[in-house]
């Protein structure tokens, strides 16, 4: 979701409303007949997937810049539920199972459909079910059901961060795929604005099997553990005040990916994904190894969810697959639920630098270990 930051932006440009209306990109959603009244969530639902090119004026274009290539995109709609909206974060596992959570308190699940070249072409096995509350029943009311971030711990448990009623809940997944009643997980000891809370959360195995990183929309970051309190890390800020931090995803070793999205009525939606070498280091020592910018003619919306996987069959060898999902309910009815895929292959220099940095980190860790300090050896 968006909060005070976007309200301020809208207020600043309010006097130029007519100009903004003419300049804001308008991409009407696909014409799909909506049900006459709200429909109860699933579990099984029919989802219509409409392909979307990287550039409508040049459908063959796949170069997204920065070493990223477009691997397909879809507009998601449904005619038999009114609740396929507000998707705020997602995870994708190695066999192509997608799980997303919504700011209406729902879980959306599907299996990715890829062609022989690894390109995203559709979804199958689509389901929608409510997130259970502490009493095992569906969450009631927007302020209590506003799920914004999703993390998968190494043991398979899920962490979900909420805003409105700011909290983090931990769920176990049962053998039949259903989610257990939640347990309360540690959250940062701070006061969040009503609609600018813990948008970003990711497991962080480099700091331990129960470690996770939490980010507020204003860019604040914390390292948390199920077994201890959260501590502050250097912030991950966007290019300017019109941008908000909306998602994290775990990368190799100590690295993570960050997602920021920006909006104003003149330029519309933009998004940027950055690969950060180590978010626990002082800001001056952090490196951005790659960046993907969603702007211009590219499919744009309120991107709030980010997931990384290894290369699926048919994708370039050694690639990192990146998935983005958008929340379609932030500003206007012209928004869409977009699911986009990109592949990134590290250039030879970057790969060598990453390997060298990993070796240096291991050497430093080993040196501290010999000095009787307790550390975790980073992976390469």
């Amino acid at each position: 979701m968006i909060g005070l930051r976007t309200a301020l932006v809208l207020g600043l440009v309010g006097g130029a409303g007519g100009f903004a209306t003419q300049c804001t990109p308008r991409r009407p959603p696909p014409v799909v007949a909506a049900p006459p009244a709200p429909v109860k969530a699933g579990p099984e639902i029919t989802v219509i997937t409409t392909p979307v090119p990287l550039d409508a004026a040049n459908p063959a274009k796949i170069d997204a810049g920065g070493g990223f290539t477009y691997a397909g995109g879809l507009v998601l709609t449904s005619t038999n539920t009114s609740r396929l909206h507000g998707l705020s974060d997602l995870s994708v596992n190695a066999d192509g199972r997608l799980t997303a959570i919504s700011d209406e308190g729902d879980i959306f699940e599907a299996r990715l459909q890829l062609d022989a070249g690894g390109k995203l072409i559709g979804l199958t096995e689509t389901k929608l079910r409510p997130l259970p509350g502490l009493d095992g029943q569906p969450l009631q009311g927007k302020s209590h059901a506003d799920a914004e971030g999703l993390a998968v711990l190494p043991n398979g448990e899920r962490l979900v961060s909420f805003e409105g009623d700011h909290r983090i809940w931990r769920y176990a997944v049962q053998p039949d795929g259903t989610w257990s009643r939640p347990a309360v997980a540690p959250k940062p000891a701070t006061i969040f604005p009503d609609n600018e809370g813990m948008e970003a959360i990711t497991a962080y195995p480099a700091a331990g099997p129960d470690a996770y990183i939490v980010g507020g929309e204003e860019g604040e970051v914390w390292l948390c553990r199920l077994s201890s309190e959260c501590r502050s890390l250097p912030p991950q800020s966007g290019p300017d005040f019109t941008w908000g931090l909306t998602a994290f995803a775990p990368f190799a070793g100590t690295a993570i990916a960050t997602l920021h999205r920006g909006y104003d009525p003149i330029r519309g939606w933009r998004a940027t994904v950055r690969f950060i070498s180590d978010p626990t280091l002082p800001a001056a020592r952090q490196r951005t190894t790659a960046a993907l910018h969603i702007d211009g003619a590219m499919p744009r919306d309120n991107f709030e969810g980010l997931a990384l996987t290894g290369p699926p069959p048919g994708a370039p060898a050694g690639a990192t697959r990146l998935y983005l999902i958008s929340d379609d309910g932030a500003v206007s009815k012209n928004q869409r639920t977009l699911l986009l895929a990109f592949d990134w292959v590290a250039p030879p220099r970057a790969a060598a630098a990453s390997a060298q940095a990993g070796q240096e980190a291991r050497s430093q860790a080993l040196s501290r270990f010999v000095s009787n300090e307790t550390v975790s050896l980073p992976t390469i």
Side-chain angles (χ1 to χ4, degrees):
M1 291 184 67
I2 60 174
L4 297 176
R5 177 180 296 100
T6 299
L8 177 60
V9 173
L10 293 172
L12 289 174
V13 299
F19 177 70
T21 301
Q22 295 175 18
C23 295
T24 302
R26 297 296 184 188
R27 296 180 176 84
V31 177
V32 177
V39 178
K40 185 178 179 180
E44 289 77 18
I45 63 169
T46 299
V47 174
I48 300 166
T49 58
T50 306
V52 57
L54 183 65
D55 184 344
N58 181 12
K61 181 179 179 180
I62 61 170
D63 184 1
F68 292 86
T69 56
Y70 192 51
L74 305 169
V75 182
L76 309 183
T77 54
S78 179
T79 58
N80 62 3
T81 179
S82 61
R83 295 179 66 92
L84 185 63
H85 294 287
L87 301 183
S88 299
D89 204 359
L90 81 163
S91 69
V92 178
N93 65 14
D95 68 356
R97 291 294 307 178
L98 177 151
T99 302
I101 44 95
S102 85
D103 59 24
E104 293 187 353
D106 290 324
I107 308 165
F108 174 61
E109 297 173 307
R111 184 177 294 278
L112 301 175
Q113 185 179 7
L114 309 177
D115 66 12
K119 184 177 180 180
L120 176 65
I121 58 173
L123 297 177
T124 62
E125 303 175 28
T126 48
K127 299 179 181 180
L128 190 70
R129 68 182 83 200
L131 270 168
L134 295 173
D135 59 359
Q137 299 302 308
L139 301 175
Q140 301 296 318
K142 180 67 172 178
S143 64
H144 195 58
D146 193 352
E148 294 292 339
L150 172 66
V152 181
L153 295 175
N155 66 0
E157 291 182 333
R158 271 65 164 170
L159 298 177
V160 177
S161 61
F162 296 83
E163 64 182 12
D165 178 5
H166 303 288
R167 66 199 189 279
I168 299 174
W169 279 354
R170 175 165 56 106
Y171 291 89
V173 178
Q174 312 296 341
D176 64 356
T178 58
W179 291 30
S180 69
R181 295 188 184 192
V184 176
K187 73 177 183 68
T190 190
I191 298 175
F192 292 100
D194 285 347
N195 204 27
E196 292 190 350
M198 295 175 287
E199 292 268 352
I201 187 170
T202 183
Y204 194 59
D210 69 338
Y212 52 101
I213 292 180
V214 178
E217 189 172 340
E218 294 182 344
E220 323 96 303
V221 182
W222 295 265
L223 175 62
C224 305
R225 289 182 173 85
L226 295 177
S227 56
S228 63
E229 296 179 349
C230 303
R231 66 177 178 87
S232 294
L233 295 180
Q236 296 291 336
S237 301
D240 59 51
F241 80 100
T242 66
W243 294 73
L245 174 64
T246 60
F248 289 141
F251 200 32
T254 60
I256 65 168
T258 68
L259 171 63
H260 289 79
R261 58 99 166 87
Y263 175 81
D264 66 61
I266 305 285
R267 294 173 292 177
W269 295 104
R270 296 97 66 210
T272 184
V273 176
R274 299 170 180 162
F275 293 164
I276 305 297
S277 59
D278 187 339
T280 68
L281 294 177
R285 294 175 55 194
Q286 295 182 20
R287 293 179 296 107
T288 299
T289 57
L292 169 67
H293 302 288
I294 308 291
D295 207 338
M298 300 170 76
R300 292 190 281 154
D301 212 290
N302 177 30
F303 286 108
E304 293 198 356
L306 168 66
L308 301 179
T309 72
T320 296
R321 170 60 61 89
L322 183 155
Y323 293 99
L324 294 173
I325 201 162
S326 68
D327 174 349
D328 65 342
V331 172
S332 73
K333 294 182 179 179
N334 289 319
Q335 291 182 248
R336 301 176 293 178
T337 299
L338 293 171
L339 176 63
L340 307 184
F342 296 86
D343 288 325
W344 178 76
V345 178
R349 255 179 100 179
S354 177
Q356 181 179 357
Q359 274 300 25
E360 291 174 356
R362 288 181 64 85
S363 296
Q364 293 170 6
L366 182 58
S367 187
R368 295 197 300 273
F369 178 77
V370 172
S371 301
N372 295 323
E373 292 185 32
T374 301
V375 297
S376 297
L377 292 179
T379 58
I380 297 177

